[in-house]
Amino acid sequence: MEKYISDFFKISSDNIRAIIKGDFEEGVTDLNTLGNHALMRIDRKSVTPSVKDLPKLTKEQKKQIKQFYSPYVRFMTTRYHRLYTAKYGEFHAEFFPEEFYAMYIDRYYSDREEARWLDNKCYYYRLFSNIKQPDLVAMRIGTTWLDSNLNPINEKTVTDLVYKENEIVVKKAVNSEGGFGVSFIKGTELSTRFTQIMDDICCDVVMQRPVKQHKSFSDLHPSSVNTLRVVSLLSGDKVKIYAAALKIGTGNSRTDNGCQGGIYCGVNSDGTLKNRGILDNGTILYEHPDLHYKFSDKKICHLDKVFELVKQAHPFMGHFRLISWDITVNDNDEAVLIEANLSLGGINNVQMSSGPLFGNDTKAVLNEALQGKRRFTTLI
């Protein structure tokens, strides 16, 4: 009973903070516990300043947005369309405002209560046992340590396993959005930083060998793991692939996350990159800021294998019909699952770099998710 009371007060506190301040405790707050008003406030606080100096939409464009969304909502904000149009370079009424997506679409397709417990990187090795993943060194679930074969081991064995590696990646298994709680440790640091990091992580944790990427991925930014963000929708026995946006690291970062300086760049069906990349703050780039190659001159290999991985993995996750996957390709030409965002996969950067999330299927998605009900929202 005490745990339920504590959980209730934590969730209430997180929602109140989000509504009042428009933010959350990164790496601590479980976004699955936030209500619609809290999610809307967080989104608006991040997007509104970005729109301030952007070109305004024309009367005709606003009319198209109203006509497109009027069967579904009383009022539809145009700030997101304004943002996406300016960054993507084209106007589409089918763009999905992220707050609307989080409040209704994602909530319909994903069981957020179940995601609270199942969205745990430790469980990936069972949930996706037929899917290639980074090599496991060890993991901790609760107070139990497991080795790469998922057999229980003691803490001394964990230390022995870690010290045998040249480098390891330590990841918080839960609430690690935006790359929060991911650390790379190698060489002489293993004997000192490993203990310090583990002392700071009180939740479940996974330790893996770094992925050696395919040359077409590593050439984009050698020091980071560059991944494809792929959004898929499960309908009956069909998995349909929608957006595919490449995330590319910058500077000295070891991760490709947008909040750590990473770039989102759209990918064409043949693996070539689109001509513009987007930073998390909305800055448009046409070449990599450090390596100075033009995005349009680059092509990634084995896009078909990435999509095949998604089609193999998604059917088992029937309670999460809409998933945002982070996948790379290794130096053995294999697609490798890095992360599965079972709910609340952000779509701002995806749409700014790749266009409308569901394209021609937008109406079909709206009709299914809203089931003919017009929402009385505060989207103004």
Side-chain angles (χ1 to χ4, degrees), residues 54-89:
L54 296 180
K56 294 183 178 180
L57 298 175
T58 66
K59 289 183 179 179
E60 177 58 28
Q61 289 171 336
K62 291 180 180 179
K63 180 181 178 181
Q64 290 182 42
I65 296 170
K66 184 176 181 180
Q67 289 176 338
F68 189 87
Y69 279 101
S70 60
Y72 309 104
V73 292
R74 287 284 184 180
F75 304 100
M76 173 56 71
T77 177
T78 60
R79 61 168 59 86
Y80 291 87
H81 281 77
R82 188 175 167 188
L83 174 65
Y84 303 151
T85 299
K87 302 306 179 181
Y88 184 60

Side-chain angles (χ1 to χ4, degrees), residues 163 167 184-196:
Y163 290 171
E167 182 177 27
F184 290 78
I185 316 173
K186 62 180 179 179
T188 56
E189 296 177 333
L190 286 171
S191 61
T192 54
R193 285 197 62 214
F194 172 68
T195 302
Q196 295 171 356

Side-chain angles (χ1 to χ4, degrees), residues 116-127:
R116 289 185 62 194
W117 316 113
L118 202 58
D119 204 345
N120 183 319
K121 293 181 181 64
C122 288
Y123 300 158
Y124 284 11
Y125 290 91
R126 286 297 194 200
L127 290 173

Side-chain angles (χ1 to χ4, degrees), residues 324-341:
S324 295
W325 310 83
D326 291 330
I327 301 165
T328 192
V329 177
N330 67 18
D331 58 357
N332 288 323
D333 301 337
E334 300 169 303
V336 181
L337 174 63
I338 302 299
E339 185 171 5
N341 299 279

